[in-house]
Amino acid sequence: MWRADGLSILPQAPQGSGSTSREGRDLKRALTLLAFLAAAACPAPAQEISLPGEHVIARAGDVFVSEHEFLERYELLPGFGRQARGQVEAHKLEVLYSIIAEKLLAADAAARGLDTDAVIQLALRETRKLLARDALYKREVIAKVDVSGKELSQGIALALIELSIRYIYFDRVEDAGFVRSQLRRIEDFRGLRIDSSFHALHDTATLVWGEADPAVESAAYHLKQNEISPVVRAGTGFYILTVSGVHRSPGYASMASDVLRDRVMTILRRRKEKARLEEF
């Protein structure tokens, strides 16, 4: 965490163990410098503005960067090189750095009165037209999403089931493929010892429907107990899964039927909307 009079930055903690990369250290130094520049350019307000319900990860004067804004920017930007272990923290800091820089530049422009400049106003009008067009297009795409009664019934049935899983996570698909070729029986999976050069993680988890990556969730719910999955790509990595236990989900099972139905419908619609928007 870095602090200055007008700026505080709370970056995400790095995933896994290991020392901070050189890129990460360079970005931290850059962010520290930015903090002192922000303190000079943006004096702290008399009363700090709070954002109810928002988790704030950075502040420059009275301008905030919320966790939601950061995640949207980070996930929508091209992820070149993010698969490399040790680069995730550096990429997160780089995105956070760019967001803060944009807000500082915007604050400086407003202080100079550039927001009233005729050329700027014309550019803003054109940008608003483009954003409005995109919003209308998104609304039209989402309006075409439909959840059938069969899909809803299947979703409710799965939501009532909670899985205990064992998994192995890999950064590289070739490592995952090689290890999977060695796993012929569940005893092989349980007794597997992985060399550190594979950059893999062997662990257990409880899988609750609607909370996991859809690819991992789909693979797990299609497995029989003690069956080993093929290599599953999810997020920036690759998984091999096995189900060690099947239980009734206490969270979903405790819901009233109408609440359960609405919750499952919301999750299914959100997933279909995301998939459709990614297609277009």
Side-chain angles (χ1 to χ4, degrees):
M1 173 179 176
W2 299 269
R3 285 195 180 277
D5 291 339
L7 176 71
S8 61
I9 307 166
L10 293 83
Q12 298 286 337
Q15 301 281 335
S17 60
S19 60
T20 305
S21 65
R22 179 178 177 182
E23 292 87 348
R25 291 195 299 271
D26 291 343
L27 282 167
K28 287 180 181 178
R29 284 196 291 269
L31 284 167
T32 304
L33 175 60
L34 181 61
F36 287 106
L37 291 174
C42 304
Q47 182 177 3
E48 183 176 314
I49 299 173
S50 61
L51 298 177
E54 287 274 15
H55 180 202
V56 175
I57 61 173
R59 176 175 64 86
D62 58 353
V63 181
F64 293 84
V65 179
S66 70
E67 182 179 32
H68 176 74
E69 179 183 3
F70 171 78
L71 288 175
E72 275 196 337
R73 290 284 294 273
Y74 180 74
E75 292 174 357
L76 291 175
L77 286 172
F80 303 118
R82 284 187 193 167
Q83 292 82 356
R85 201 178 192 87
Q87 295 296 312
V88 175
E89 175 71 357
H91 280 293
K92 287 181 178 180
L93 288 172
E94 187 176 359
V95 173
L96 182 58
Y97 181 27
S98 67
I99 294 173
I100 293 170
E102 287 175 10
K103 292 187 181 294
L104 291 175
L105 288 171
D108 182 64
R112 294 169 181 264
L114 295 181
D115 55 330
T116 60
D117 182 83
V119 175
I120 298 296
Q121 286 296 317
L122 178 61
L124 286 174
R125 281 196 295 272
E126 293 302 316
T127 301
R128 290 192 188 100
K129 290 178 183 178
L130 293 174
L131 291 174
R133 183 197 65 184
D134 289 346
L136 290 171
Y137 183 69
K138 179 179 179 180
R139 187 181 302 173
E140 182 180 351
V141 170
I142 290 176
K144 294 179 179 179
V145 169
D146 180 60
V147 177
S148 68
K150 181 180 179 180
E151 289 172 322
L152 180 59
S153 296
Q154 290 175 341
I156 291 173
L158 293 177
L160 293 171
I161 299 172
E162 189 175 276
L163 303 178
S164 297
I165 65 171
R166 295 175 181 268
Y167 69 89
I168 312 172
Y169 170 85
F170 300 87
D171 283 338
R172 301 188 295 256
V173 66
E174 55 269 22
D175 292 343
F178 173 78
V179 171
R180 180 62 185 89
S181 68
Q182 308 303 307
L183 301 175
R184 305 188 185 281
R185 303 174 304 164
I186 189 62
E187 290 76 16
D188 299 332
F189 190 100
R190 291 171 178 165
L192 183 67
R193 296 175 63 89
I194 303 175
D195 187 274
S196 59
S197 63
F198 279 88
H199 301 291
L201 173 66
H202 197 170
D203 208 346
T204 61
T206 298
L207 195 153
V208 178
W209 185 87
E211 296 182 4
D213 185 289
V216 171
E217 183 180 283
S218 177
Y221 277 99
H222 280 86
L223 288 174
K224 297 177 182 178
Q225 196 162 342
N226 294 326
E227 181 183 2
I228 303 173
S229 76
V231 175
V232 179
R233 178 168 189 168
T236 59
F238 304 87
Y239 294 80
I240 301 173
L241 314 165
T242 184
V243 175
S244 57
V246 181
H247 320 279
R248 187 167 178 81
S249 173
Y252 284 113
S254 64
M255 294 180 183
S257 58
D258 56 335
V259 176
L260 173 62
R261 183 183 183 281
D262 290 344
R263 178 70 60 85
V264 172
M265 175 67 79
T266 298
I267 293 172
L268 290 174
R269 282 196 62 85
R270 186 182 301 126
R271 287 181 170 180
K272 293 187 98 173
E273 288 170 3
K274 182 178 179 181
R276 195 168 184 88
L277 287 170
E278 287 176 351
E279 288 177 7
F280 290 92

